[in-house]
């Protein structure tokens, strides 16, 4: 599994699946969630409504509609509450579940945003370490290409440094 960092808008990526940093209702919001719903079009919200939400630390998959990506995997990251509320395991759960869903749907390339590091306040470097550790510990699968899609240069720099 090759992991590459890119500074980009995740909604433009032509991959098997992009991951969305969603909220438990899965009914859309700001940040990357808003961008994904705008770019995918109203059918995405319709499919999300039928999913009945998703618990924090897990993820659900939908079609990509008007996006270049075939699927959207909606992962619900934890709100940062200081680190003593299981945030690390919940964030790792997002990455693990997203990979498993991708694999089940025959996806071979996937792009992740920096889940929880915007509105949800998870410290950027700590979140990047959780993301990379979880990706590296994942059982080998049919997924051959992972893009870490950073929106801001600070996040891109952190990932580039951690990846060496
Ligand atoms: N492409 C890639 N990354 C992006 C994009 C984009 N188009 N837009 C923002 N980011 P956030 P969270 C980055 O706040 O912290 C929503 O309202 C952003 O710079 O989107 O998990 C949901 O509905 C940051 O690095 O997600 C939830 O209520 C990262 O994506 C809540 O926000 C995550 O920031 C989830 O909060």
């Amino acid at each position: 599994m090759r992991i590459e960092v890119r500074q980009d808008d995740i909604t433009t990526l032509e991959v098997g699946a992009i991951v969305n940093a969603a909220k438990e209702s899965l009914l859309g919001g700001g940040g990357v969630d808003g961008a994904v719903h705008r770019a995918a079009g109203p059918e995405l919200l319709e499919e999300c409504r039928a999913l009945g939400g998703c618990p924090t630390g897990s993820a659900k998959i939908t079609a990509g509609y008007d996006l270049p990506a075939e699927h959207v995997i909606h992962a619900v990251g934890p709100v940062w509450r200081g680190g003593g509320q299981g945030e690390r395991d919940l964030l790792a759960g997002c990455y693990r579940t997203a990979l498993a869903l991708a694999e089940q749907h025959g996806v071979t390339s996937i792009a992740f945003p920096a889940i929880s590091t915007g509105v949800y306040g998870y410290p950027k470097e700590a979140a990047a370490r959780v993301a990379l550790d979880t990706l590296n510990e994942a059982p080998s699968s049919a997924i051959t290409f992972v893009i870490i899609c950073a929106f801001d240069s600070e996040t891109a720099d952190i990932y580039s440094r951690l990846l060496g």
Side-chain angles (χ1 to χ4, degrees), residues 51-114:
L51 295 175
C54 176
T56 299
S58 193
K60 291 194 176 175
I61 191 166
T62 65
Y65 299 99
D66 293 344
L67 289 164
E70 236 176 295
H71 302 275
V72 179
I73 296 173
H74 306 264
V76 184
V79 174
W80 179 258
R81 295 196 169 90
Q85 306 292 315
E87 291 94 331
R88 189 193 187 284
D89 287 348
L90 291 166
L91 185 59
C94 289
Y95 286 88
R96 261 198 307 274
T97 311
L99 286 178
L101 282 172
E103 161 112 64
Q104 284 161 25
H105 287 77
V107 167
T108 57
S109 59
I110 184 169
F112 285 94

Side-chain angles (χ1 to χ4, degrees), residues 8-10 21 23 28-33 35 114 116-120 151-152:
D8 214 335
D9 174 351
I10 202 166
K23 56 155 73 80
V32 68
D33 200 3
S116 280
T117 67
V119 175
Y120 282 0
F151 202 51
D152 57 283

Side-chain angles (χ1 to χ4, degrees), residues 26-48:
L26 300 183
L27 296 181
V32 68
D33 200 3
V36 167
H37 277 274
R38 273 193 303 278
E43 284 170 301
L44 178 61
L45 187 57
E46 245 173 76
E47 186 175 356
C48 283

